Amino acid sequence: MAAAWDSGVEAVTFWWGSPANLLGRGAEEVGTIVDALRGWMETELPGLLGEHQAAFRIAGRWADLCPSLAPAVATAEAAAGPGPRRLVILMGYDGREEILAAAAAAGGDRRRFEAALWTGGLPPVDLVVRTGGEPHLSAGFMLWWIAEAQLHFSCSLWPAFGPDELKGILKRYAATPRRMGR
């Protein structure tokens, strides 16, 4: 995140797990995933948010699917700054569920729909980086916000994906002319 923010990226979003990941895997594997996120949020994230005065948000069904994260979320929220840098974690997130929930709440009004999204208030996504070499977007990553995004698929596995690779991707992205549908 620091490398992204230091390169001028305003909002960094990490997708930590979809409902299918959390409900379809064994309890031990899910426990490992949740424990890794909780540990990072309790130890490293508060300092990172404070140092960069970054705002923090977690979206998805995490409270239902991973209620043990609540204390770590509270710690991160307490350490968060005013922005403009932002960190968003998607946990228990499925873009299709997000769109269905927002559509039900919006009554056909686009502004109400965008506000009702779990990721409402975030800027449109410019660049999606998927680690692990799989060229797909599992469970509809931020479907509403990636309509004009560039996609990059890295063969690096997380957490081996590091700042140098990210900086290279951002440099290539910045040098690529955007046609935005034209």
Side-chain angles (χ1 to χ4, degrees), residues 75-134:
T75 298
E77 289 173 340
R85 295 179 177 117
R86 296 185 251 183
L87 170 65
V88 179
I89 295 176
L90 303 178
M91 182 61 155
Y93 173 88
D94 183 313
R96 297 163 294 196
E97 290 180 11
E98 176 186 34
I99 285 175
L100 288 172
D109 181 84
R110 182 182 178 128
R111 283 191 304 257
R112 287 180 53 204
F113 172 81
E114 288 182 350
L117 289 167
W118 299 340
T119 54
L122 294 176
V125 175
D126 290 326
L127 174 66
V128 175
V129 177
R130 166 78 189 225
T131 59
E134 295 185 40

Side-chain angles (χ1 to χ4, degrees), residues 5-6 28 46-47 54 57 79 83 99 105 113 121 133 135 145 155 159 170 173 178:
W5 290 331
D6 292 345
E28 186 175 325
R57 181 168 168 190
I99 285 175
F113 172 81
W145 301 117
C155 290
L170 291 172
Y173 167 76
R178 299 294 306 271

Side-chain angles (χ1 to χ4, degrees), residues 23-114:
L23 296 170
R25 297 179 182 207
E28 186 175 325
E29 185 176 7
V30 171
T32 299
I33 291 167
V34 172
D35 288 346
L37 177 57
R38 182 177 41 254
W40 176 75
M41 288 175 68
E42 290 173 346
T43 59
E44 296 179 43
L45 183 57
L48 188 63
L49 293 172
E51 177 183 339
H52 292 275
Q53 288 296 294
F56 172 77
R57 181 168 168 190
I58 186 166
R61 294 176 42 209
W62 69 272
D64 297 331
L65 299 176
C66 311
S68 65
L69 286 176
V73 170
T75 298
E77 289 173 340
R85 295 179 177 117
R86 296 185 251 183
L87 170 65
V88 179
I89 295 176
L90 303 178
M91 182 61 155
Y93 173 88
D94 183 313
R96 297 163 294 196
E97 290 180 11
E98 176 186 34
I99 285 175
L100 288 172
D109 181 84
R110 182 182 178 128
R111 283 191 304 257
R112 287 180 53 204
F113 172 81
E114 288 182 350

Side-chain angles (χ1 to χ4, degrees), residues 166-177:
L166 176 63
K167 288 176 184 176
I169 292 166
L170 291 172
K171 185 176 180 180
R172 285 189 300 280
Y173 167 76
T176 303

